[in-house]
Every structure is written in C-alpha cells, then in structure tokens.
Amino acid sequence: MKYQSNSAILSISIGGNGKMQADEVLEFIQFYRHELLNKLQVIQGYVQMGRTEKANHYFEELFTNFAKERKLIHLNIPHVFLWFYQYKKENPQFNLNYSVEIQTSLNSADMYIKNNLEQIMQDIKEKCDPKKIYRIHLNFYEHGDDNMISVQVDLSEKETQFGNISLSREIDVRQTADKRIYSFTVDSN
C-alpha cells in the first residue's frame, strides 16, 4: 500500500498578519504544557510525602482552573485566549488572572477585545516598575444588558504613579487608593 505525502503549514489566525505559524503554535503548547507539568509535579511531591490533604487542595485548584479556562474558551474569543497565555509567558512581572461571568459568545468582538487589552496592558507596562510583580485581574461580566470587560491592577505599591493616559475613548479608567480599573463595553452581536 502506498501512502501519499501531503505537506502543509499549520496556521491559526490570531491577527497581525493573520496567521500563527507552526513554530509559534508549538511554542504556545510548550508553555502551556510546562505550566501544567509544574502543577502536577507539586501534587506528586505532596503525594510522595504523604501529604494527601495538600495534594487534594492542589488537585481542586487545578480542576477549578480547568473549569475557569473552559468558560473563557466558551466565550469563543480565540485571539484573546492566545493573547492571554502569550502575554503571561512574555511578561512574568504581571501575575495575570481572569474570571468569566458571561455565557454569551463574544466571537464578533474578539479582535476588538484583544486590541483594547493590548492598549490597556501597554499603558500599565509603561507605568509600572519592571522589577516589581503586579497582580492584574481581567473580569468578563454582564452589567444589565451589556457585556463588560474590566482590567484591575493591584497598586499596593504606593510609589506606582499612574498619571495621564492616552487610551481609546471607549476605555473607561478609574483610580482608587489601591487599584486602577480599566473597563469597556463589548457588543456580542
């Protein structure tokens, strides 16, 4: 039996030139796999030490993260999903996390969301000390009939100065004593 060989370049559309090349896909998978294996090694260590309650805690945390990730995937925003993990990998000074309270597909706003998140994170990056770690939380939620996305920066470091901003008019910015909150509305149609 003869097999025909067909070659193709694997690509995933993510914006920019529109394609994510095979090496970029592989790099993403390696990062994701590395993160998962780190968590599993911690669990394995606790099991080997006989600390099953601690191992169970980490298992619960792992499954909670999978459930949270499933909610993000169900928003059907692949560009945002890939951006999120790529940003975490490339910017370790930001402890980036998220929560999803929307059950509607936001696919039609995928690039709009990604572009706004890039603007917000660029603003944050320019104003933060690169030697410090900052907690940043993205929240996808409903507010009345609107789908909202907020990005909250924990400013427990009082010397971080957020002055004037040059963001899109679509992005609202509020400052409290310990947080800076960026938010914008997303149309799901």
Side-chain angles (χ1 to χ4, degrees):
M1 181 175 204
K2 273 186 134 176
Y3 293 98
Q4 186 175 357
S5 173
N6 292 326
S7 62
I9 296 176
L10 172 64
S11 64
I12 300 172
S13 174
I14 63 162
N17 67 2
K19 302 293 178 189
M20 183 177 198
Q21 297 300 319
D23 58 340
E24 294 171 309
V25 172
L26 183 59
E27 187 177 320
F28 169 75
I29 292 170
Q30 287 173 331
F31 171 74
Y32 190 86
R33 184 179 178 276
H34 175 78
E35 293 289 307
L36 181 58
L37 286 175
N38 281 347
K39 293 171 184 170
L40 291 172
Q41 286 175 337
V42 169
I43 293 169
Q44 181 184 31
Y46 282 126
V47 168
Q48 288 175 343
M49 292 187 304
R51 298 185 63 194
T52 55
E53 68 285 339
K54 205 72 160 140
N56 284 334
H57 170 74
Y58 272 85
F59 266 127
E60 288 173 18
E61 188 176 293
L62 188 62
F63 288 122
T64 298
N65 285 336
F66 285 147
K68 189 168 73 166
E69 195 171 78
R70 183 179 61 247
K71 287 180 178 181
L72 185 61
I73 290 169
H74 283 180
L75 291 178
N76 198 17
I77 46 177
H79 295 87
V80 173
F81 184 86
L82 290 171
W83 170 85
F84 178 82
Y85 283 99
Q86 185 175 20
Y87 198 89
K88 280 184 73 151
K89 177 182 177 259
E90 294 173 359
N91 297 279
Q93 76 271 28
F94 299 118
N95 181 356
L96 201 55
N97 201 347
Y98 65 91
S99 58
V100 176
E101 301 167 27
I102 298 174
Q103 296 182 8
T104 307
S105 171
L106 299 177
N107 184 260
S108 62
D110 187 21
M111 290 304 296
Y112 171 76
I113 296 167
K114 178 182 174 274
N115 291 338
N116 279 351
L117 290 174
E118 286 176 339
Q119 262 188 77
I120 291 167
M121 294 309 296
Q122 184 61 36
D123 185 62
I124 293 169
K125 194 172 187 177
E126 288 172 1
K127 292 173 174 65
C128 288
D129 183 342
K131 296 176 185 165
K132 296 191 177 183
I133 295 180
Y134 296 87
R135 288 190 329 221
I136 300 175
H137 186 81
L138 281 63
N139 188 14
F140 298 81
Y141 65 99
E142 294 175 351
H143 181 72
D145 291 336
D146 294 327
N147 294 311
M148 301 290 295
I149 298 175
S150 73
V151 179
Q152 222 174 82
V153 185
D154 183 352
L155 299 177
S156 55
E157 300 294 331
K158 297 298 183 204
E159 68 270 12
T160 302
Q161 296 298 315
F162 279 83
N164 295 334
I165 58 162
S166 57
L167 297 173
S168 160
R169 281 184 281 141
E170 300 159 345
I171 301 172
D172 179 53
V173 183
R174 289 182 295 131
Q175 181 90 33
T176 67
D178 62 345
K179 293 187 185 323
R180 183 167 180 103
I181 302 165
Y182 302 79
S183 60
F184 57 95
T185 305
V186 178
D187 186 5
S188 60
N189 298 325

